[in-house]
Each structure stands twice: as structure tokens, then as C-alpha cells.
Amino acid sequence: QVQLTESGGGSVQAGGSLRLSCAVPRDITHRFSMIAWFHQAPGKEREGIAAIVTNSLYTFYADSVKGRFTISLDDLNKVLYLQMNSLKSEDTGQYYCAAISGEIRLLWSNPEQYDVWGQGTQVTVSS
């Protein structure tokens, strides 16, 4: 069973930074076509905020995080990162790492096509 494990969540004041990590399996390029970060705010649906195509390292970002967050893949150390800067109170919530093990069929931010998920890590931003 392939697993993804997030870490790095915590509490921070608005304007601060956090870096989330997601441990990914070996040979990620062959296992997954895309890997992404999703955010679920309290009482809201899960939304895709950043994704990376594993064989090209092409990235996608939601408008809400563009210019503030950076997704990156350290293939040597098998870690997916999400660097979060200029955090806002609306960034509060659970953050999930997710991957597509088959072909990319839908819009990158559509959670329906992601079939491997981590357990999530909590981020709280206080104003």
C-alpha cells in the first residue's frame, strides 16, 4: 500500500511562513503522474492549491496562493514540499498531499482523480 505522509503543520501569525513536507515513495515518476497539495478550510470543501507533474515538474497553482506558495519535489530525498509565505487567516485548515497513480484525466485541481491521499496536517494562521 503506497502511503503519503505530511508533516510541518502548526500555528503561525498572519504574514508568517511555514513549509509543509510530504514523504513520497521511491520511483515517484513511475508511480504517479501528478502529485498535489489540497487545502480544506473549516466547513468547506477540499480544494486543490498546487500541483506538480512528476515527469516534467510543470507546476499549477490556484489563484488564491499564486505568488505566495511554492510547490517543489525533491526526488533525491523523496519529499514533496509546499513553501507557504505571507500566510493569511483564510489559509487555516487541513492540508493534504495527494497523488494520481493513473493518467491525468481532469483539471489538475479536481480531487476526484487523486487516488492516494495522506492523513493531513493542520495549519492555523492567527490574525
Side-chain angles (χ1 to χ4, degrees), residues 103-122:
E103 294 182 354
I104 302 168
R105 299 176 289 109
L106 304 172
L107 187 65
W108 68 269
S109 56
N110 190 325
E112 293 181 11
Q113 64 183 329
Y114 289 82
D115 55 339
V116 182
W117 290 82
Q119 81 289 350
T121 186
Q122 175 69 28

Side-chain angles (χ1 to χ4, degrees), residues 68-87:
R68 299 189 299 124
F69 291 9
T70 302
I71 187 171
S72 61
L73 179 62
D74 181 347
D75 197 33
L76 179 66
N77 295 302
K78 312 306 174 194
V79 184
L80 177 76
Y81 294 108
L82 184 68
Q83 177 66 44
M84 306 188 295
N85 299 327
S86 303
L87 282 161

Side-chain angles (χ1 to χ4, degrees), residues 1 3 40 79 90 119:
Q1 182 79 17
Q3 290 185 323
Q40 187 164 22
V79 184
E90 51 263 44
Q119 81 289 350

Side-chain angles (χ1 to χ4, degrees), residues 15 31 40 50 61 66 82-83 94 120:
R31 287 182 178 270
Q40 187 164 22
Y61 293 95
K66 204 170 291 184
L82 184 68
Q83 177 66 44
Q94 279 284 107

Side-chain angles (χ1 to χ4, degrees), residues 24-33 54 73 75-76 78:
V24 299
R26 294 169 48 189
D27 204 17
I28 184 173
T29 302
H30 291 98
R31 287 182 178 270
F32 302 137
S33 54
T54 57
L73 179 62
D75 197 33
L76 179 66
K78 312 306 174 194

